[in-house]
């Protein structure tokens, strides 16, 4: 109930037609049955198909977008599933926080991507003031969530101590997820995938953080300097 109340009153309604307010108005017995459904999924039982249907809304990144790369595909999943994924994602992010290096700002509780730009700005200002040299680089991965390989990321998270029941339910949801594009209020055929994580699911943020942590550790060991 607390997780539902934290969501916007205008939060998008999923393809099942159940809104945030509908879930808040459920009688206690129905809420308990819904929680039991999530418990069963974490125990390895299959998800109901209705929970794994998402409508994809393509949001334009720039005005007058015409190319695929200029759109961000957001998957609108059922509100109940989104609430479950939000609860589990917050718990996992708190668990992973001690593993995150100081330079990892995105998807970490208490930090934000803005911290990275602030850090870079300070470095540039100091270099300018001291008339010194500064070298750096920026890599922007388009459709980054869609590029993440599922099995390795889930294995990374398992090694990082994420609870197996949550990983089990998450993996089953990824396998069964059907995404349907919506264009001018018309819904397309179901599309499945074998890689990537849907933008619109809170657990996808966990997947990105897990990949970041592993890449960071790899870089430390692959390009270890003489000082370290």
């Amino acid at each position: 109930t607390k997780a539902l109340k934290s969501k916007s009153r205008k939060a998008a309604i999923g393809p099942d037609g159940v809104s945030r307010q509908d879930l808040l108005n459920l009688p206690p017995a129905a809420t308990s049955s819904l929680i039991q459904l999530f418990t069963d999924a974490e125990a390895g039982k299959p998800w109901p198909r209705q929970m794994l249907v998402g409508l994809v809304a393509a949001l334009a990144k720039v005005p007058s977008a015409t190319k695929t790369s200029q759109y961000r595909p957001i998957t609108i999943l059922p509100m109940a599933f989104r609430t479950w994924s939000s609860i589990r994602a917050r718990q996992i992010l708190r668990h992973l926080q001690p593993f995150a290096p100081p330079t990892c700002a995105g998807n970490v509780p208490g930090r934000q991507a803005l911290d990275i730009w602030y850090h870079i700005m300070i470095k540039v200002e100091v270099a300018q003031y001291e008339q010194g040299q500064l070298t750096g680089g920026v890599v922007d991965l388009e459709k980054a969530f869609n590029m993440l390989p599922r099995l390795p990321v889930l294995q990374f998270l398992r090694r990082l101590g994420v609870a197996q029941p949550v990983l089990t339910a998450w993996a089953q949801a990824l396998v069964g997820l059907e995404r349907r594009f919506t264009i001018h209020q018309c819904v397309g055929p179901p599309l499945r995938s074998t890689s990537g994580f849907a933008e619109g699911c809170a657990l996808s943020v966990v997947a990105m953080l897990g990949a970041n942590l592993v890449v960071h550790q790899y870089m430390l060991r692959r390009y270890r300097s003489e000082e370290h």
Side-chain angles (χ1 to χ4, degrees):
T1 300
K2 182 179 178 182
L4 277 170
K5 288 182 176 180
S6 69
K7 294 187 177 298
S8 170
R9 294 176 182 270
K10 299 179 181 179
I13 299 175
D16 59 352
V18 179
S19 69
R20 165 186 176 274
Q21 195 61 44
D22 291 334
L23 293 177
L24 286 172
N25 290 337
L26 287 178
T31 300
S32 296
S33 296
L34 188 59
I35 293 174
Q36 185 60 49
L37 184 152
F38 298 132
T39 303
D40 291 344
E42 292 184 357
K45 294 183 180 180
W47 286 92
R49 185 181 177 187
Q50 296 90 329
M51 281 281 183
L52 303 181
V53 177
L55 300 179
V56 180
L59 305 181
K61 296 181 181 179
V62 297
S64 303
T66 57
K67 299 179 180 179
T68 303
S69 60
Q70 295 174 333
Y71 286 89
R72 176 177 287 107
I74 302 297
T75 303
I76 304 173
L77 293 158
M79 178 61 70
F81 182 90
R82 278 149 54 194
T83 305
W84 168 80
S85 68
S86 295
I87 293 170
R88 290 310 192 198
R90 280 196 295 268
Q91 293 170 337
I92 297 173
L93 290 175
R94 285 198 299 268
H95 167 73
L96 295 178
Q97 186 173 10
F99 298 104
T103 52
C104 184
N107 310 328
V108 180
R111 307 181 198 173
Q112 54 184 334
L114 183 63
D115 297 334
I116 297 176
W117 300 112
Y118 183 69
H119 176 74
I120 294 174
M121 182 182 70
I122 291 176
K123 290 285 188 182
V124 172
E125 289 286 348
V126 171
Q128 290 279 1
Y129 177 76
E130 297 180 347
Q131 296 184 349
Q133 294 184 346
L134 184 66
T135 304
V138 176
V139 177
D140 183 14
L141 300 179
E142 292 186 357
K143 303 291 184 290
F145 283 96
N146 292 321
M147 294 173 63
L148 291 175
R150 289 178 184 169
L151 186 57
V153 168
L154 293 174
Q155 289 290 347
F156 295 158
L157 293 171
R158 183 179 65 83
R159 293 294 298 271
L160 289 168
V162 175
Q164 186 60 49
V166 179
L167 292 177
T168 297
W170 185 11
Q172 294 237 52
L174 290 170
V175 171
L177 178 62
E178 293 182 358
R179 284 182 276 190
R180 295 172 179 262
F181 277 87
T182 56
I183 301 176
H184 296 303
Q185 298 182 338
C186 295
V187 180
L191 300 172
R192 295 195 177 215
S193 61
T194 57
S195 64
F197 294 82
E199 289 194 59
C201 174
L203 285 168
S204 297
V205 175
V206 173
M208 184 63 73
L209 178 57
N212 288 343
L213 297 180
V214 173
V215 170
H216 176 78
Q217 291 298 325
Y218 170 80
M219 296 294 285
L220 283 179
R221 287 158 176 75
R222 179 65 177 82
Y223 300 103
R224 186 183 298 272
S225 66
E226 294 181 0
E227 295 179 3
H228 302 291

